[in-house]
């Protein structure tokens, strides 16, 4: 069974630029999550989708972060404009029972 | 906020059992205890979960105290590949639930 796919694995941008991350969950998984993990900390939930609807986005900084899950499958997370403190690993996870995580996208903002 | 407390770090000799404790004194009756681990540069990986009975699978054993206020994850024969950050999480199982991670325990297995 294929796992959760994420791209790109690494991205370096300058502050005030924009960036987008893509996630392809495990086939058939209705629930999808985006987490932000800053170095030395545990993952922090940004947004949770159930199919193509948002279940929880209370921790998403909506002035600069946006996420969508069109057609209830793939998802994209966008940051515009990026700040230095956005440097982190962005993890996508999907669930049918237990959560399965992708390897993450590491963002460095200079 | 995370509802669990774990030691920041632990060491274990290769081949020995690694016992990772977790306190969850405010756990509710319908909340499960979950354990995930995160090896360097990878996403978290599910290990095991339980409600009130002890559980065992091919990766680990989970011992939950009778009052459910604490638990211990046991890796019976630790290997160098078990070096990782281990997260203990309490969670209400359901379609819209989510995992709230704390800072976890960094386990270092040494030769």
């Amino acid at each position: 069974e294929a796992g959760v796919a994420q791209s790109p694995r690494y991205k370096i941008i300058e502050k005030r630029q924009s960036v987008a991350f893509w996630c392809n969950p495990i086939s058939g998984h209705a629930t999808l999550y985006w987490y932000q993990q800053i170095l030395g900390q545990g993952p922090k939930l940004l947004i949770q989708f159930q199919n193509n609807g948002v279940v929880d986005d209370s921790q998403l900084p909506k002035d600069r972060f946006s996420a969508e899950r069109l057609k209830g499958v793939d998802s994209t997370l966008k940051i515009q404009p990026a700040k230095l403190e956005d440097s982190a690993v962005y993890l996508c996870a999907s669930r049918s029972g237990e959560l399965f995580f992708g390897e993450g996208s590491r963002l460095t903002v200079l | 906020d995370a509802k669990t407390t774990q030691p920041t770090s632990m060491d274990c000799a290769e081949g020995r059992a690694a016992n990772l404790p977790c306190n969850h004194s405010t756990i509710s009756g319908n909340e499960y205890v979950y354990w995930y681990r995160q090896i360097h540069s990878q996403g978290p990986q599910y290990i095991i979960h339980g409600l009130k009975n002890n559980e065992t699978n091919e990766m680990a054993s989970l011992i939950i105290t009778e009052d459910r206020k604490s638990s211990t994850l046991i890796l019976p024969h630790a290997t160098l590949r078990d070096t990782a950050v281990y997260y203990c999480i309490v969670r209400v199982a359901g379609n819209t639930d989510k995992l709230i991670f704390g800072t976890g325990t960094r386990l270092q297995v040494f030769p």
Side-chain angles (χ1 to χ4, degrees):
Chain A
E1 177 182 79
V4 176
Q6 290 189 246
S7 67
R9 283 297 312 276
Y10 305 94
K11 188 73 176 180
I12 301 173
I13 61 173
E14 295 188 348
K15 59 183 180 183
R16 291 188 290 274
Q17 287 187 323
S18 63
V19 63
F21 302 111
W22 172 82
C23 172
N24 180 233
I26 294 172
S27 178
H29 284 194
T31 311
L32 184 147
Y33 308 77
W34 282 101
Y35 283 83
Q36 179 193 57
Q37 186 171 26
I38 293 171
L39 186 65
Q41 300 181 16
K44 170 191 166 186
L45 179 67
L46 292 176
I47 190 168
Q48 176 183 352
F49 291 94
Q50 181 74 15
N51 296 308
N52 61 348
V54 175
V55 173
D56 184 352
D57 63 357
S58 58
Q59 299 299 308
L60 188 73
K62 299 180 187 64
D63 58 334
R64 298 182 301 104
F65 286 64
S66 65
E68 61 182 11
R69 191 183 183 197
L70 300 176
K71 302 181 182 179
V73 182
D74 293 4
S75 177
T76 56
L77 176 70
K78 297 179 181 178
I79 308 174
Q80 182 179 9
K83 292 186 175 181
L84 297 177
E85 58 261 36
D86 298 332
S87 293
V89 175
Y90 291 86
L91 293 161
C92 179
S94 69
R95 184 173 75 80
S96 177
E98 305 321 317
L99 261 71
F100 293 87
F101 285 82
E103 294 193 321
S105 295
R106 182 178 297 276
L107 173 66
T108 301
V109 182
L110 303 175
Chain B
D1 292 333
K3 299 171 67 173
T4 61
T5 304
Q6 299 177 252
T8 302
S9 62
M10 295 181 65
D11 291 338
C12 178
E14 188 177 22
R16 304 297 295 269
N19 297 286
L20 290 86
C22 179
N23 286 320
H24 31 79
S25 58
T26 61
I27 193 170
S28 301
N30 60 347
E31 288 183 314
Y32 288 72
V33 179
Y34 278 76
W35 284 83
Y36 279 72
R37 74 179 182 183
Q38 188 172 25
I39 296 170
H40 183 63
S41 296
Q42 297 183 19
Q45 174 193 23
Y46 167 79
I47 303 173
I48 197 168
H49 75 281
L51 183 61
K52 54 184 176 181
N53 297 321
N54 297 338
E55 302 288 343
T56 296
N57 62 20
E58 64 277 6
M59 291 181 68
S61 295
L62 175 60
I63 307 298
I64 303 174
T65 58
E66 192 168 346
D67 63 7
R68 303 207 325 120
K69 292 185 177 181
S70 65
S71 61
T72 301
L73 178 74
I74 300 172
L75 307 178
H77 305 287
T79 70
L80 298 178
R81 287 175 293 182
D82 292 322
T83 293
V85 177
Y86 287 77
Y87 296 99
C88 169
I89 301 160
V90 295
R91 167 191 176 195
V92 177
N95 287 335
T96 59
D97 70 312
K98 50 188 176 285
L99 290 182
I100 306 298
F101 287 81
T103 53
T105 295
R106 181 172 300 278
L107 175 69
Q108 179 69 53
V109 181
F110 57 91

